[in-house]
Amino acid sequence: MNAQELISELEALADKKQASILQGFFKTGKGEYGEGDVFLGIKVPIVRKTINKYSLDLKEIQALLESKIHEVRQAGLFILTKEYENAKKDGSLKKQKEIVVFYLANTKHINNWDLVDLTAPKILGDYLVDKKSERNILYELAVSEKGLPSGARCPSAPKSFGWLWERRIAIISTFAFIDECDFDDTLRLAKLFLCEEHDLMHKATGWVLREVGKKDEKPLIDFLDKHGKVMPRTMLRYAIEQLDEKVRQHYLKSTK
């Protein structure tokens, strides 16, 4: 089996009505974050089921990731995640690293929030769980020469939506750390993104902060006490969602 066979199989599952719904949901119109993305109209469980019998090398996965079709890229990323999990089971650190390097080299194809959220914690995040010395890559994704003007204190608005997805990969990857009650990088990145302009980053950052609070409420409360007054409203609402109602109202009323 190869990439083209999988593409043909996915195309046979196309649903025009569902595709129209998904293209609206994932903002594919002109000037929107998913501009130009093409959907077949296949739901995620069906894509997952379809790829189960496929085991492809990185060259074949590359062909999938370069597709203009969303579900084809999604399928490629699901196969890549499966290959990473198999390498982990086999104890092949070399193969795991090869897959992580490949993933990072293809961030331009991981170009919508679902593609990020379904893969970043399972590949990049998992790989970095026990490798704190290599976590600088998260900050390189979050801030770079192009994304951070000289003298700036936080990331500027992305010059293109590609920067948005790399920033989301950075923060969403830390879900793997949160599972281990390791919050430092999540909180540092969340602080960095306090001035992020895009709503999708407000939601992602608030989401991970909420998960920190579900594991241990104290670091979340400490973060809110320091930064709650300047947090974007959406980020704040996501972060405090699981807190006691009186505590939630305290932070909502204290923000500008």
Side-chain angles (χ1 to χ4, degrees):
M1 289 183 172
N2 57 40
Q4 188 53 55
E5 288 178 295
L6 174 55
I7 292 171
S8 297
E9 194 169 346
L10 289 170
E11 288 176 339
L13 295 168
D15 181 331
K16 290 184 178 180
K17 183 178 179 180
Q18 182 66 16
S20 179
I21 293 171
L22 291 175
Q23 288 188 196
F25 183 71
F26 285 100
K27 307 297 183 185
T28 62
K30 186 172 178 59
E32 295 182 309
Y33 63 73
E35 180 178 352
D37 208 353
V38 177
F39 283 79
L40 293 173
I42 310 172
K43 295 182 179 179
V44 170
I46 297 175
V47 176
R48 287 193 184 278
K49 183 178 179 180
T50 304
I51 65 99
N52 277 342
K53 59 181 177 288
Y54 286 85
S55 178
L56 304 178
D57 61 26
L58 295 184
K59 183 178 179 180
E60 293 288 329
I61 295 173
Q62 184 72 53
L64 298 174
L65 296 186
E66 291 176 359
S67 172
K68 66 179 182 179
I69 299 172
H70 187 96
E71 290 93 341
V72 173
R73 299 196 307 280
Q74 187 180 80
L77 289 167
F78 284 161
I79 294 172
L80 188 67
T81 302
K82 184 172 67 170
E83 294 300 322
Y84 176 85
E85 290 169 349
N86 288 338
K88 186 175 179 181
K89 287 177 185 176
D90 294 340
S92 176
L93 185 59
K94 181 180 178 181
K95 183 64 175 179
Q96 290 174 62
K97 186 167 185 176
E98 182 183 10
I99 290 170
V100 168
V101 170
F102 177 85
Y103 184 84
L104 291 170
N106 279 282
T107 55
K108 67 181 179 181
H109 302 305
I110 308 169
N111 56 352
N112 217 312
W113 58 264
D114 64 316
L115 303 180
V116 172
D117 296 359
L118 291 167
T119 60
K122 294 181 178 180
I123 297 178
L124 181 58
D126 184 86
Y127 178 77
L128 293 173
V129 163
D130 59 354
K131 301 176 185 66
K132 290 193 175 186
S133 64
E134 296 184 35
R135 292 185 188 178
N136 62 302
I137 185 60
L138 299 177
Y139 300 91
E140 292 173 14
L141 289 169
V143 179
S144 71
E145 278 186 24
K146 294 180 181 177
L148 186 65
S150 177
R153 298 177 62 188
C154 61
S156 63
K159 302 297 186 297
S160 68
F161 286 114
W163 295 110
L164 171 63
W165 306 128
E166 291 195 342
R167 290 174 184 179
R168 191 166 175 116
I169 287 170
I171 193 72
I172 293 296
S173 291
T174 70
F175 269 116
F177 313 159
I178 295 170
D179 285 343
E180 303 297 323
C181 294
D182 177 0
F183 310 130
D184 289 350
D185 289 289
T186 301
L187 297 173
R188 287 177 63 194
L189 286 165
K191 182 179 178 182
L192 188 65
F193 291 137
L194 286 172
C195 55
E196 173 64 58
E197 296 180 9
H198 203 285
D199 185 65
L200 284 177
M201 283 303 299
H202 299 169
K203 291 176 180 178
T205 305
W207 181 20
V208 296
L209 287 171
R210 182 185 70 200
E211 295 306 305
V212 168
K214 287 166 69 173
K215 286 285 188 178
D216 186 346
E217 200 168 281
K218 185 179 185 305
L220 172 59
I221 294 297
D222 289 345
F223 187 91
L224 293 171
D225 287 342
K226 292 178 182 177
H227 308 294
K229 291 183 179 180
V230 298
M231 288 175 71
R233 197 71 167 177
T234 298
M235 186 188 298
L236 177 66
R237 286 189 176 277
Y238 270 63
I240 65 177
E241 191 175 27
Q242 298 293 321
L243 297 178
D244 178 81
E245 180 61 22
K246 289 184 178 179
V247 179
R248 289 180 67 253
Q249 290 303 320
H250 163 73
Y251 288 111
L252 287 172
K253 291 175 181 177
S254 66
T255 56
K256 296 180 182 179

